[in-house]
Amino acid sequence: MKLTMTMLASVDGKTTLGDNQNVYSWSSIEDQKYFFSLIKKNNLIVMGRASYDASKPVIKIEKSKLRIVLTHSPKKHLNQTIKGQLEFTDESPEKLVKRLSLLGYKKMLLVGGGTINGLFLIQNLVDELYLTIEPKIFGSGKSIVEGQLLNKSLRLVSVKKINETGTLLLKYKVIK
């Protein structure tokens, strides 16, 4: 399965403005359009519970799209589960990828936060990273990867300036 991780960060590598989880409050319109185009192109999207909670207002449940939310407590979310569209699990990234591959999925879009990203990266499951850099400096906030000691090498595939303020879209291949 091809696994693409997508993230948005400030120039100083922060994925949140302090404790504010709402990236839509500071991300550019161009990044939002790009992000939602990725969502539209992918039928398997994986995120962590905190990312799910922050994104709930903009998530559109669709019959042709499976969204998986990784959480320590999937049973707490049984009332939100929609089989085949919105599911909650505590599976390890490796088991999740294996199970979904067996179900016929060929591509996964990882839109999780730093903890989830770290779990997939440490298991060597990520193939590419789309990283949008917004021309902002926050000083504090969460990072692209949290809670893991990693030493991953990437190869830059492309750079695209997506607006006049200097928002950059970077595409990297993860060296395995």
Side-chain angles (χ1 to χ4, degrees), residues 27 34 64 78 119 133 142 149 157:
S27 62
Y34 177 73
S64 61
L78 286 175
L119 292 173
I133 304 291
K142 295 196 174 189
L149 178 60
V157 174

Side-chain angles (χ1 to χ4, degrees), residues 11-167:
V11 170
D12 59 341
K14 302 303 176 190
T15 60
T16 63
L17 173 55
D19 292 332
N20 181 358
Q21 298 282 333
N22 182 5
V23 298
Y24 304 108
S25 68
W26 58 271
S27 62
S28 63
I29 296 295
E30 295 82 5
D31 173 67
Q32 291 176 35
K33 284 181 182 176
Y34 177 73
F35 177 75
F36 286 112
S37 77
L38 284 177
I39 296 291
K40 190 174 184 175
K41 289 178 196 170
N42 286 273
N43 66 346
L44 175 59
I45 300 158
V46 175
M47 66 186 76
R49 194 229 5 107
S51 295
Y52 170 71
D53 288 345
S55 302
K56 249 192 257 188
V58 298
I59 291 176
K60 294 179 180 135
I61 302 301
E62 303 169 61
K63 288 183 180 174
S64 61
K65 198 172 298 293
L66 174 58
R67 293 173 193 271
I68 303 275
V69 180
L70 293 172
T71 175
H72 292 295
S73 309
K75 290 181 181 172
K76 284 185 182 178
H77 302 279
L78 286 175
N79 62 335
Q80 297 173 62
T81 299
I82 304 168
K83 187 79 173 142
Q85 295 174 53
L86 178 63
E87 299 177 5
F88 298 81
T89 185
D90 58 0
E91 291 171 282
S92 71
E94 198 170 51
K95 284 183 182 175
L96 179 66
V97 168
K98 186 175 186 174
R99 176 175 68 86
L100 294 169
S101 291
L102 291 172
L103 290 174
Y105 287 95
K106 306 271 187 247
K107 297 187 312 181
M108 176 187 292
L109 182 64
L110 182 63
V111 299
T115 301
I116 298 302
N117 291 341
L119 292 173
F120 278 82
L121 284 164
I122 205 153
Q123 292 295 315
N124 217 25
L125 298 171
V126 179
D127 297 298
E128 59 187 9
L129 165 63
Y130 292 160
L131 177 62
T132 302
I133 304 291
E134 291 286 0
K136 299 181 180 289
I137 297 175
F138 297 150
S140 69
K142 295 196 174 189
S143 297
I144 293 168
V145 176
E146 300 269 336
Q148 299 287 340
L149 178 60
L150 295 168
N151 185 10
K152 292 288 176 188
S153 295
L154 309 173
R155 183 176 48 80
L156 184 63
V157 174
S158 65
V159 178
K160 182 177 180 184
K161 182 178 169 186
I162 60 174
N163 63 24
E164 290 304 310
T165 60
T167 301

